[in-house]
Amino acid sequence: MSASPLVGWDEVAAAAPDGLAILDCAGRFVRLNPAAAVLLEAETEGELIGGPSPFTLVEGAGACRAGLLAARSDEQVAHWEPACGPRREFAYRTRTLPTDPKFTVVSFRDVTDERHRQRRIAAIAQTSIALASEGSLGSTLDAVAQQIVQADGLAGVQILILDSTGRELRLMGSAGLRHWDGFLDRLLECRDRGARLCMLDTLRERRPIVVPHRWAQILEDPAWEPLHAYLGELNWDSFVSVPLMARGRPEGVLNAYFAPGQEIGSRTLEFLAAMAEQAALAVDHAMLLQREREGARRNERQRLARDLHDSIVQQVFSIGMQANAVGVLGARDEAVPAQAVQNFADEVGALSRTVLADLRAMVHELRPSSSLRLGLEDAVTTLVKSTENRTGLSIRLVCGREVDAVEPELAEDMYRIVAEAIHNVVKHAEATTVTIRLGVRDHTLTAGIRDDGRGLAASGGRRAAPDSEGRKAGADWHHGYGLTTMRERAERWGGTMRIRSGARSGTTVRVVVPLPVRVPQAPPADSEHAPNAPSAVPLRETENPARSGS
């Protein structure tokens, strides 16, 4: 006994939640179900019959590969521009009718909001990547603005930040708007004419300000006349200003210009707030870097001033005293013995040569980059020769074969550490010999600088205290700027610096910096060794040797 169907297929199509359509071979609509008419924003099915569809007829054409945010990898995406209202995005599948291949069946659904959310998530992720890059603050904020425009289809975005005084705004990032140097000047002119600047309300109240139909208001306000032409280049309607907050204080504003017809809902404001937070992080990071650089320059100037005072200034003062003495002798109108003149000349000549040598050493220490292009060993060798010629110290340098393979930034920091250690030996140790060892072993860069001088405890009357191995060392050595900088340079790379010192054994500075371990590339799939090839670096190989107690 055969069972008769409970409902007909026409009833099923009419009740289907997804859109169903039949297309002819030219891609025109032949028939649609009620859900399809609703999705295409038509009042009746008849409005669409015979009209072009947005769907591609070739099965599988343009299908997206499965991705992190993809729900169905075999679906294609089509865009539909209704007669009125915003553009819609449809995910769809196509199948030809087996009984009549001239016709194609399409099932589709509205994914406008879903894909919009995916674009917003991608925009936040891309912005995070931009923040991690080494680009300038301006290029980073331009990238943030561009991500917002692309994700939400806005007319334009501007990002303005406060200066260090917190009183002046600077335009640092934008997208959708033409770059114009006179924008801020004209904006201030509008303010002086009585125009209300919503971004100032945002900064003062520290909350988003939403102004629907802002462009119409600006057009009607004569105070905004200086910016009518510039803002009129955009096709926009409403306006939102969101504060950039960092550490509880406003760092600037993000201004969003919405296209006509775009709605400003809670999700939109949430997205703009998330992007404003990313921009605020970029601004805060840039400010911290600027303060760090200023502090480093200030400390470097202080060190140079100290070195100049300790050596060059005193030597130039001595030259001046010798010159005054010669002047006094000349004023007596008496014959000056030739030997006395020779002694004056010899002493002034020796002092001037010492001053010149010190100046050359300081210049070389400040600009080692040219030598570092050839490698760390060559840079340190040049420094050693310069120091020997200047001071008479005997310096022995031992370098391993892989030292020059160290990356340039690490090589720069290691060079600075060695240079500062040698500087301390020259100024304080009263040593005659120095031994410097540089080497790479077991993914670790090590440096040792040992002198035969009087030790830290005897230099400047510092108190002695036992180090980690029980030896006596200057307890407050780490309070000096030079040694602190050496330690910070080592710690920047996850390394450590130790100092051992004794009154009779001199001082030894040892620096240990772990080098990165490269992940081995997987062999080809057809390699006979592929099953045994490691797919990752074991954790024990990437441990920091400097922090393991060894």
Side-chain angles (χ1 to χ4, degrees):
M1 177 178 176
S2 61
S4 59
L6 297 178
V7 294
W9 285 112
D10 288 343
E11 296 179 60
V12 173
D18 284 349
L20 296 174
I22 297 178
L23 311 180
D24 62 17
C25 58
R28 294 185 293 263
F29 286 114
V30 175
R31 190 171 181 183
L32 302 95
N33 70 340
V38 172
L39 290 173
L40 295 168
E41 300 188 16
E43 293 185 2
T44 64
E45 175 185 349
E47 295 181 22
L48 300 168
I49 299 299
S53 78
F55 308 114
T56 301
L57 293 183
V58 180
E59 295 186 18
C64 301
R65 296 175 58 187
L68 177 64
L69 302 176
R72 302 180 185 178
S73 60
D74 60 336
E75 288 182 319
Q76 303 173 61
V77 176
H79 301 279
W80 175 254
E81 298 280 355
C84 59
R87 186 180 72 166
R88 313 305 297 173
E89 294 182 76
F90 299 132
Y92 69 98
R93 294 189 181 94
T94 61
R95 293 289 186 274
T96 56
L97 280 176
T99 57
D100 191 344
K102 295 194 302 294
F103 297 101
T104 302
V105 177
V106 179
S107 65
F108 61 99
R109 59 192 178 92
D110 191 340
V111 293
T112 305
D113 292 339
E114 178 184 341
R115 287 176 62 82
H116 190 188
R117 177 175 57 84
Q118 292 173 2
R119 283 193 294 270
R120 286 176 168 176
I121 294 173
I124 295 174
Q126 291 293 334
T127 301
S128 299
I129 294 173
L131 295 181
S133 69
E134 298 181 357
S136 66
L137 178 60
S139 62
T140 300
L141 295 182
D142 276 340
V144 173
Q146 189 63 40
Q147 290 293 336
I148 298 172
V149 168
Q150 290 177 353
D152 268 26
L154 301 186
V157 169
Q158 291 176 322
I159 300 177
L160 298 94
I161 68 170
L162 290 167
D163 65 1
S164 58
T165 65
R167 299 174 182 174
E168 295 184 359
L169 283 168
R170 291 183 294 163
L171 180 59
M172 292 295 292
S174 66
L177 291 98
R178 173 175 56 87
H179 284 277
W180 182 32
D181 294 336
F183 171 74
L184 285 177
D185 290 336
R186 294 295 180 88
L187 186 66
L188 294 177
E189 183 180 347
C190 294
R191 183 199 61 182
D192 294 340
R193 292 164 60 117
R196 176 199 172 197
L197 304 187
C198 297
M199 70 180 74
L200 300 184
D201 296 336
T202 299
L203 288 172
R204 183 174 58 255
E205 300 176 18
R206 302 187 179 187
R207 65 176 182 85
I209 299 293
V210 180
V211 187
H213 312 301
R214 179 60 169 162
W215 176 229
Q217 298 173 12
I218 289 177
L219 278 177
E220 294 175 359
D221 189 349
W224 282 98
E225 192 276 333
L227 280 175
H228 280 172
Y230 177 68
L231 294 178
E233 296 175 3
L234 279 182
N235 181 26
W236 69 288
D237 179 28
S238 299
F239 176 82
V240 174
S241 184
V242 182
L244 310 183
M245 301 296 297
R247 304 173 189 267
R249 65 178 183 273
E251 296 285 0
V253 292
L254 186 155
N255 294 334
Y257 300 81
F258 285 75
Q262 287 185 318
E263 297 182 359
I264 306 174
S266 59
R267 289 188 177 180
T268 298
L269 293 178
E270 184 180 356
F271 170 62
L272 290 178
M275 297 300 284
E277 183 177 357
Q278 297 285 327
L281 287 174
V283 175
D284 188 52
H285 179 65
M287 296 300 181
L288 289 175
L289 283 180
Q290 181 179 352
R291 285 195 288 269
E292 181 181 349
R293 293 190 187 102
E294 290 175 352
R297 285 194 292 266
R298 182 172 57 253
N299 291 333
E300 188 66 18
R301 286 194 296 268
Q302 291 174 352
R303 188 183 73 82
L304 287 173
R306 184 183 66 243
D307 292 347
L308 285 169
H309 179 270
D310 291 345
S311 59
I312 298 175
V313 171
Q314 295 180 6
Q315 291 161 1
V316 172
F317 178 77
S318 297
I319 293 175
M321 294 295 293
Q322 295 291 343
N324 288 337
V326 172
V328 170
L329 290 177
R332 293 178 180 177
D333 198 19
E334 298 178 358
V336 180
Q339 187 59 45
V341 174
Q342 185 63 47
N343 291 340
F344 279 126
D346 291 344
E347 189 165 353
V348 170
L351 287 171
S352 63
R353 286 190 296 273
T354 302
V355 169
L356 183 59
D358 283 349
L359 285 173
R360 285 175 174 170
M362 292 177 70
V363 170
H364 177 79
E365 182 181 342
L366 289 172
R367 301 198 61 184
S369 56
S370 59
S371 297
L372 280 171
R373 294 193 192 101
L374 302 176
L376 179 59
E377 181 177 357
D378 284 343
V380 175
T381 299
T382 303
L383 175 65
V384 165
K385 292 180 179 179
S386 173
T387 304
E388 286 182 327
N389 294 335
R390 176 170 56 94
T391 65
L393 267 176
S394 174
I395 303 178
R396 178 175 176 240
L397 175 61
V398 180
C399 285
R401 288 179 297 177
E402 298 183 15
V403 167
D404 284 341
V406 175
E407 61 178 284
E409 288 190 12
L410 174 55
E412 170 81 18
D413 277 337
M414 186 58 76
Y415 173 89
R416 296 291 185 185
I417 290 172
V418 173
E420 184 65 30
I422 294 176
H423 173 82
N424 289 336
V425 171
V426 172
K427 292 298 180 182
H428 307 295
E430 297 182 1
T432 57
T433 60
V434 180
T435 300
I436 302 173
R437 297 182 182 273
L438 293 171
V440 175
R441 182 178 181 183
D442 297 331
H443 304 296
T444 303
L445 172 64
T446 61
I449 304 94
R450 181 176 181 179
D451 66 70
D452 62 354
R454 55 179 180 164
L456 287 174
S459 303
R462 293 175 175 173
R463 294 179 290 107
D467 66 4
S468 60
E469 298 189 18
R471 293 180 174 86
K472 295 290 184 178
D476 58 348
W477 65 268
H478 54 279
H479 295 303
Y481 167 72
L483 292 172
T484 299
T485 301
M486 292 166 65
R487 185 179 70 254
E488 289 175 348
R489 289 185 187 276
E491 291 176 349
R492 174 190 177 192
W493 302 95
T496 59
M497 184 181 78
R498 296 180 181 177
I499 295 183
R500 302 174 185 172
S501 184
R504 298 182 179 179
S505 59
T507 300
T508 299
V509 176
R510 179 172 173 79
V511 180
V512 179
V513 176
L515 299 176
V517 179
R518 295 182 179 177
V519 178
Q521 294 183 349
D526 58 351
S527 172
E528 61 180 357
H529 301 294
N532 299 322
S535 59
V537 177
L539 179 60
R540 59 184 178 84
E541 291 188 20
T542 59
E543 285 182 347
N544 185 342
R547 302 195 184 280
S548 62
S550 60

